[in-house]
Amino acid sequence: MRLLERMRKEWFLIGIVLAIAGAKLEPSIGVNGGPLKPEITVSYIAVATIFFNSGLSLNTEELTSALVHIKLHLFIQIFTLAFFPAAVWLFLQLLSITPINEWLLKGLQTVGCMPPPVSSAVILTKAVGGNEGIVVTPLLLLLFLGSSSSVPFTSIFSQLFMTVVVPLIIGQIVRRYIKDWLERKQPPFGAVSSSVLLMIIYTTFCDTFSNPSIDLDKFSLLLVLFIICSIQLSFMLLTFIFSTRNNSGFTPADTVAVMFCSTHKSLTLGIPMLKIVFAGHEYLSLISVPLLIYHPVQILLGSVLVPTIKSWMVSRQKGVKLMRPTV
């Protein structure tokens, strides 16, 4: 299963490249008002499909049992939705005097606002053997992003409710009645969400490439890639230091969850959210680019670090066992 999940992620990354390339070759298909009618099929149907799918796949019992780790959740939520965006905002004040594209910088800020994913962080945590500690708070995310959007907050909230909350709840209700069938057949929830997400990415970049006044600055892209790698490594080191202090109260397995869940950001939730919050914005694709870069970087860095972190965790757990007095 882990191999299949890794293969799916690799194909998804290839799919992102192909979706952007397809938008570059023929942008007229996916622009607003074009044959695909993304103002309806993407803004409402595609986003609702992703969250209905999430509702079907979300195991409520496992989520409920995970909520007992209150301290772990609290640390992750404060770091992800308070410290992370605030630190990025301060850093961007320095970067604002550089020649980096201003819309890519805004995109970096939106990355800071994103919640942790229910996919890659959990998978990487499982790969090491750590605990799962994730609570997604999209309402706080939208409150933070809404202030910088040209769309009225009431419109954002109503569309959020209709395309995210309602489908998620319906998915959970349907799951209750077909739970045994779902567990027996194990439908490809991840593949469905990834396919729909690629459609959203494609139509987003169709709008960009159909507008000749928008230019993707290669120098800015390289700098943003370097900044994203630096942020991830720095924040993973910071969470490791905080969660391994003598008085932290976290186990080695908790540290693993903290490192991955506090520093990873959700693309599956993020792109639809940006599509809602920045609806009709001509620079939406540039704002989305940092999140599209952050996603593969977090997977690659995580995969590289898994063996080292696993070795550390095993050695620490053995050390704890040796220190326990025998009866």
Side-chain angles (χ1 to χ4, degrees), residues 137-171:
T137 53
L139 181 58
L140 291 177
L141 171 66
L142 282 186
L143 284 172
F144 197 98
L145 290 178
S147 61
S148 58
S149 169
S150 59
V151 181
F153 181 77
T154 52
S155 298
I156 294 173
F157 185 79
S158 61
Q159 189 172 351
L160 166 68
F161 184 77
M162 293 305 298
T163 59
V164 176
V165 179
V166 171
L168 192 66
I169 293 174
I170 293 175

Side-chain angles (χ1 to χ4, degrees), residues 268-318:
T268 305
L269 178 63
I271 292 296
M273 288 293 181
L274 292 180
K275 195 74 175 179
I276 294 172
V277 175
F278 295 98
H281 201 295
E282 64 175 329
Y283 291 102
L284 171 59
S285 60
L286 292 186
I287 295 172
S288 306
V289 164
L291 183 58
L292 291 173
I293 295 174
Y294 198 97
H295 179 73
V297 169
Q298 72 186 11
I299 294 174
L300 292 173
L301 283 179
S303 300
V304 169
L305 291 173
V306 158
T308 302
I309 296 174
K310 184 172 184 176
S311 176
W312 169 84
M313 191 188 74
V314 171
S315 64
R316 283 294 298 269
Q317 288 177 333
K318 287 181 179 178

